[in-house]
Amino acid sequence: LMSDDKPSWKQDTIIILVDPDMILLRPITGDYTNDPSMIWEDPTVQKSGKGMKVKHGKPLGSKYGYGATPFREGKFDLKKIIPDLNSNVHKVNIRDGAMYYPAGPPYIATARDMYRITKMWTTVAPLVHEQSSEMMAEMYSYSIAAAHYDLRHYLSRSFMVSAPLQTTNSEGWDMIEKIDSSEICHFDTRKQATPLPLVLHYCQRALLERWVITKYRLRKDFISCKAPLLQEPPVDLALKYDYGITPPKKKGDKEGEKINYTNPNVIKHHAFMLCQEIFTFNRASTYYKKHN
């Protein structure tokens, strides 16, 4: 794709990188100009109302919550990770580090930019891991790689929803909250007129009444022909319940803890994640069973 004998348009190809535990809620295009549903971290972009479009030198990404951590004094010895003192990574201040580099999936960039980032990402990741083995190390590595090439990412809080208890507008839940509670489990995202986030990241548990979904409880052979589909919740789930009961902690326990939700939007969040995950998993499993 990146060799010199390939036509230049190949380098203009838009590369989208998502996690395997993400469900697409709408097409990812790379062009979000004049899209009022998007909230951008860069105040100049947000105030302009013009949005952003991916092009060389201007990748996009989802805003994650680790801020300027890779660039904070004492967190990493960046000179050991990237010894070249002329690298832009040594010039990133805390403000820019927090605004342009705490990126996460979906990452969206031209092939030329993503190739450069990925090459450096795989180079620095083992060095970052030597200094910090925490779960976020690979994301810190991406930030460091992007900063090395001065590839500021224009980050949006609206690309993703993942944490149903989130109420601080740091994810795209405001779009979900505009859907009526009676329809939160009763609409097809492919036909939905209301703007939606790009992806649902099912990295956290969704829980409403005794309905619960988490990737860690899904049987590993779920899509196989011998595995049954998941029981689907009622479409009025968000109207019927304002609490969740956690599964028993150990075998023999009758039930777990009851969690009351006082914020009606949190109820919507849980219902949306439950319904979308279960319906999507069942559609995917049914497709696989029919074709294998």
Side-chain angles (χ1 to χ4, degrees), residues 53 55 258 280:
K53 180 179 180 179
K55 54 185 177 181
K258 182 177 180 180
T280 301

Side-chain angles (χ1 to χ4, degrees), residues 199-215:
V199 299
L200 184 161
H201 189 189
Y202 54 93
C203 58
Q204 299 193 37
R205 180 182 68 187
L207 175 70
L208 202 53
E209 201 250 351
R210 288 178 174 82
W211 293 92
V212 61
I213 185 71
T214 165
K215 63 182 180 182

Side-chain angles (χ1 to χ4, degrees), residues 56-275:
H56 294 315
K58 293 187 182 297
L60 309 182
S62 183
K63 167 70 185 302
Y64 277 61
Y66 59 90
T69 298
F71 311 102
R72 291 190 181 279
E73 186 175 355
K75 179 62 179 180
F76 294 108
D77 185 345
L78 291 175
K79 292 179 182 178
K80 288 185 177 180
I81 297 172
I82 300 183
D84 181 4
L85 297 182
N86 292 319
S87 168
N88 185 73
V89 76
H90 302 299
K91 304 172 186 176
V92 176
N93 58 40
I94 296 301
R95 175 187 173 276
D96 288 351
M99 186 177 298
Y100 299 110
Y101 293 110
Y107 300 106
I108 315 173
T110 63
R112 187 177 75 183
D113 287 346
M114 187 61 80
Y115 177 80
R116 296 169 74 198
I117 292 171
T118 303
K119 290 279 287 185
M120 182 57 67
W121 189 11
T122 56
T123 298
V124 304
L127 302 176
V128 170
H129 192 267
E130 286 178 5
Q131 297 187 34
S132 174
S133 59
E134 61 186 289
M135 183 179 65
M136 298 293 292
E138 57 90 13
M139 297 188 76
Y140 298 156
S141 302
Y142 182 97
S143 296
I144 291 169
H148 170 68
Y149 289 114
D150 195 18
L151 285 171
R152 296 182 172 194
H153 282 53
Y154 289 85
L155 305 179
S156 176
R157 307 177 195 179
S158 309
F159 279 11
M160 176 188 73
V161 289
S162 68
L165 292 174
Q166 184 64 254
T167 59
T168 60
N169 201 31
S170 60
E171 294 185 354
W173 286 115
D174 59 309
M175 301 184 198
I176 307 304
E177 291 161 9
K178 292 175 183 176
I179 302 170
D180 190 83
S181 293
S182 64
E183 299 179 1
I184 203 78
C185 284
H186 195 55
F187 71 94
D188 188 336
T189 59
R190 294 166 295 182
K191 301 176 182 177
Q192 178 66 17
T194 303
L196 294 172
L198 305 186
V199 299
L200 184 161
H201 189 189
Y202 54 93
C203 58
Q204 299 193 37
R205 180 182 68 187
L207 175 70
L208 202 53
E209 201 250 351
R210 288 178 174 82
W211 293 92
V212 61
I213 185 71
T214 165
K215 63 182 180 182
Y216 302 108
R217 294 176 65 89
L218 198 66
R219 56 186 285 177
K220 291 182 171 57
D221 65 344
F222 169 66
I223 64 171
S224 69
C225 290
K226 65 181 180 181
L229 297 177
L230 299 174
Q231 183 178 352
E232 297 188 348
V235 294
D236 60 350
L237 186 66
L239 296 173
K240 296 178 71 172
Y241 307 109
D242 61 0
Y243 64 92
I245 298 177
T246 62
K249 291 185 177 180
K250 60 181 184 295
K251 191 174 182 180
D253 288 351
K254 290 185 178 180
E255 62 184 23
E257 174 190 5
K258 182 177 180 180
I259 302 172
N260 293 309
Y261 304 130
T262 57
N263 187 324
N265 284 330
V266 168
I267 298 171
K268 280 188 176 183
H269 300 174
H270 280 279
F272 180 82
M273 291 194 73
L274 273 162
C275 293

